[in-house]
């Protein structure tokens, strides 16, 4: 959730204290001043959490593949995840690129507002990022659709995704 920050259970706090000597209750995780001295602890904690979630994804993927030889694991996340400040990423922790680099996923379903002008070339840039990072997995854009979504809006999203090469598949997520 982008609204609720998890990670304050006794187990999670103990793991953080043991690993980093940082109690997350002492951090200002909602700070927008990512250049402050205090934020360096929050940044370190958030990055540690990404690694811990990646470790969990790896364990889950390994267990799935052990039970289903030849099975494939895909993830869902945001295409813009890597442009977000760490304070925002800390809320969702869906570093699908790290999971791909670790060999834990075979592809990613990516959601975003593809028609937002800030997201021009987002799909292509995300494909390029995967290539550059040595994780050339297939990426599948997700287009959210509501009952009042028009054909023109869908067409605009498809044109905005574009891609060279184009995505192997587009997924529609229907919201009611």
């Amino acid at each position: 959730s982008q609204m609720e920050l998890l990670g304050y259970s006794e187990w999670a706090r103990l793991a953080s204290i043991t690993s980093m000597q940082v109690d997350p209750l002492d951090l200002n995780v909602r700070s927008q001043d990512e250049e402050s001295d205090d934020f360096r602890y929050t940044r370190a904690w958030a990055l540690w959490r990404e690694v811990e979630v990646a470790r969990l994804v790896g364990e889950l993927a390994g267990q799935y593949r052990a039970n289903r030889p030849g099975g494939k694991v895909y993830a869902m996340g945001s295409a813009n995840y890597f442009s977000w400040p760490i304070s925002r990423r800390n809320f969702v922790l869906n570093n699908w690129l790290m999971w791909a680099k670790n060999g834990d996923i075979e592809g990613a379903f990516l959601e975003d507002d593809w028609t937002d002008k800030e997201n021009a070339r987002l799909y292509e840039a995300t494909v390029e990022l995967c290539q550059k990072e040595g994780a050339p997995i297939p990426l599948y854009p997700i287009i959210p659709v509501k009952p009042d979504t028009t054909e023109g809006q869908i067409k605009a999203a498809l044109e905005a995704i574009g891609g060279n090469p184009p995505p192997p598949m587009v997924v529609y997520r229907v919201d009611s």
Side-chain angles (χ1 to χ4, degrees):
S1 162
Q2 292 187 34
M3 304 302 292
E4 186 175 21
L5 182 61
L6 304 176
Y8 297 106
S9 69
E10 287 301 316
W11 179 89
R13 288 181 59 216
L14 180 61
S16 175
I17 292 166
T18 302
S19 178
M20 304 183 58
Q21 293 74 51
V22 172
D23 185 338
L25 291 180
D26 295 335
L27 301 174
N28 181 3
V29 296
R30 294 192 185 275
S31 172
Q32 297 301 311
D33 183 8
E34 295 197 4
E35 301 306 316
S36 73
D37 283 344
D38 286 344
F39 196 80
R40 73 176 185 267
Y41 297 107
T42 302
R43 175 181 286 107
W45 181 65
L47 295 174
W48 173 79
R49 285 167 37 94
E50 278 190 336
V51 169
E52 291 302 306
V53 169
R55 184 173 294 132
L56 173 63
V57 169
E59 289 174 16
L60 295 171
Q63 187 62 47
Y64 175 75
R65 291 179 182 125
N67 290 315
R68 298 268 195 246
K72 296 187 182 295
V73 178
Y74 292 82
M76 183 172 156
S78 172
N80 261 333
Y81 182 77
F82 305 100
S83 68
W84 295 349
I86 193 75
S87 55
R88 182 174 177 196
R89 291 195 329 246
N90 196 21
F91 278 77
V92 293
L93 299 171
N94 62 13
N95 191 335
W96 52 267
L97 184 57
M98 183 185 292
W99 308 338
K101 287 171 68 172
N102 292 345
D104 297 325
I105 62 171
E106 280 78 23
F109 293 90
L110 302 178
E111 195 162 12
D112 237 300
D113 180 357
W114 301 101
T115 60
D116 186 323
K117 289 184 183 358
E118 297 281 320
N119 293 339
R121 284 199 67 251
L122 178 59
Y123 176 77
E124 286 182 36
T126 307
V127 170
E128 290 168 8
L129 177 65
C130 288
Q131 297 287 344
K132 180 180 144 202
E133 293 293 323
I137 61 170
L139 303 175
Y140 307 102
I142 298 172
I143 299 175
V145 179
K146 297 180 179 177
D148 61 346
T149 300
T150 66
E151 185 177 331
Q153 290 169 316
I154 293 172
K155 186 175 181 180
L158 289 169
E159 287 173 2
I161 291 167
N164 185 17
M169 168 175 66
V170 172
V171 177
Y172 295 98
R173 181 180 49 78
V174 180
D175 293 331
S176 56

